[in-house]
Amino acid sequence: MKKLLTSILILFFIGQISYSQDWDFEKPDYSKIEKNIKDKKSNLYYESLMNRFSKADSTLSLKEKRHLYYGYTFQESYSPYGRSTYEDSLRNVLQEENLAHVDFEKIIAFGDKILRSNPFNLDALNYQLFAFEQTKDQEAFQKKLTQLRTIVDVLMSSGNGKTKENAFYVIDTSHEYNLLSILGFQFGGSQHLIEHYDYLSVAENNQDIEGFYFDVTPCLNSILK
């Protein structure tokens, strides 16, 4: 559906992101994050961070955002290869040629159900952005945009993807493909697991970039558990 595909461009322009190999980034220290999010007296206490994220708090610092995102790997609900049954329901609605107001309401409702089990599902957030844009609910649109930006800020802070040493750190393999789109690249069709890194090739581009590395350590650890 052309109208829907056009709206997905929202992802490409959040924060006017442009790819550069020289921005400042920092690898997540998972052991330190695990310790910090358990301190109930700290602003990094996980329950507090998730409550602020749920309310689309735009004042979260980058440090808090990183503890929120990477700290999720230590929650019982973390299941990087899990899949909500509502994803099929959402996909069925999106396949409709002409969407009516009731369909936008379904997109929002199914998105909410998906996000209850996976609060960092960028696809669900993006489709909700589309629905809120179409229903002209600006308040809800801005809240979802804040949440989406929170996640993207963390991903962009972790690396530049150029090498294994400077890989992007993700807690969900779907975020690899989301990040490619956000950076303005198209998946080149080739994916390889190298040690604890995913390597995705990208289609021909004017920056002559062949692909990106993503550290997927939490995802692999979840399989071992």
Side-chain angles (χ1 to χ4, degrees), residues 37-51:
I37 61 174
K38 293 178 180 179
D39 184 356
K40 294 184 178 181
K41 297 180 180 179
S42 169
N43 64 310
L44 301 176
Y45 181 53
Y46 199 79
E47 185 176 341
S48 298
L49 291 176
M50 183 55 75
N51 285 337

Side-chain angles (χ1 to χ4, degrees), residues 173-204:
T173 54
S174 68
H175 292 170
E176 300 170 10
Y177 300 89
N178 294 137
L179 192 50
L180 288 186
S181 295
I182 292 168
L183 293 170
F185 294 94
Q186 293 184 342
F187 177 48
S190 176
Q191 179 269 334
H192 299 285
L193 181 63
I194 305 171
E195 300 166 4
H196 53 93
Y197 302 94
D198 260 348
Y199 177 80
L200 300 188
S201 67
V202 295
E204 184 177 351

Side-chain angles (χ1 to χ4, degrees), residues 1-10 12 126-127 130:
M1 181 178 175
K2 292 182 179 179
K3 191 174 184 181
L4 178 57
L5 292 176
T6 299
S7 77
I8 294 176
L9 289 173
I10 291 171
F12 298 167
N126 191 43
Y127 289 131
F130 166 70

Side-chain angles (χ1 to χ4, degrees), residues 7-206:
S7 77
I8 294 176
L9 289 173
I10 291 171
L11 269 177
F12 298 167
F13 297 109
I14 52 175
Q16 289 71 55
I17 293 171
S18 60
Y19 180 74
S20 166
Q21 298 177 3
D22 302 317
W23 64 72
D24 294 329
F25 47 84
E26 178 185 358
K27 299 177 182 179
D29 184 333
Y30 284 107
S31 60
K32 187 175 181 179
I33 289 173
E34 181 181 19
K35 178 181 178 181
N36 290 342
I37 61 174
K38 293 178 180 179
D39 184 356
K40 294 184 178 181
K41 297 180 180 179
S42 169
N43 64 310
L44 301 176
Y45 181 53
Y46 199 79
E47 185 176 341
S48 298
L49 291 176
M50 183 55 75
N51 285 337
R52 291 175 66 188
F53 176 75
S54 299
K55 296 176 182 178
D57 186 345
S58 61
T59 67
L60 283 165
S61 67
L62 181 56
K63 183 177 182 179
E64 290 170 334
K65 292 175 182 179
R66 287 168 59 86
H67 278 72
L68 168 74
Y69 179 79
Y70 295 117
Y72 189 59
T73 62
F74 303 106
Q75 309 307 304
E76 290 185 5
S77 55
Y78 176 61
S79 179
Y81 297 107
R83 185 172 176 277
S84 171
T85 57
Y86 293 104
E87 291 182 35
D88 289 333
S89 301
L90 176 58
R91 188 174 296 107
N92 289 336
V93 176
L94 296 171
Q95 288 176 346
E96 296 292 334
E97 185 61 29
N98 296 300
L99 298 179
H101 187 85
V102 65
D103 295 312
F104 299 132
E105 292 180 339
K106 289 179 181 179
I107 291 172
I108 295 167
F110 289 139
D112 283 340
K113 293 181 184 297
I114 293 169
L115 291 167
R116 285 195 191 102
S117 59
N118 181 1
F120 304 123
N121 188 307
L122 287 173
D123 290 326
L125 285 171
N126 191 43
Y127 289 131
Q128 285 190 323
L129 279 171
F130 166 70
F132 285 130
E133 180 187 45
Q134 297 302 309
T135 57
K136 303 186 185 306
D137 189 338
Q138 285 301 308
E139 182 179 356
F141 179 92
Q142 288 301 322
K143 287 182 177 180
K144 291 299 174 182
L145 187 58
T146 295
Q147 291 178 326
L148 193 149
R149 279 176 168 159
T150 295
I151 302 167
V152 174
D153 284 348
V154 174
L155 296 175
M156 296 290 289
S157 77
S158 66
N160 59 23
K162 183 180 178 182
T163 63
K164 289 189 290 186
E165 292 72 20
N166 296 321
F168 291 113
Y169 282 69
V170 300
I171 66 171
D172 189 315
T173 54
S174 68
H175 292 170
E176 300 170 10
Y177 300 89
N178 294 137
L179 192 50
L180 288 186
S181 295
I182 292 168
L183 293 170
F185 294 94
Q186 293 184 342
F187 177 48
S190 176
Q191 179 269 334
H192 299 285
L193 181 63
I194 305 171
E195 300 166 4
H196 53 93
Y197 302 94
D198 260 348
Y199 177 80
L200 300 188
S201 67
V202 295
E204 184 177 351
N205 56 85
N206 58 14

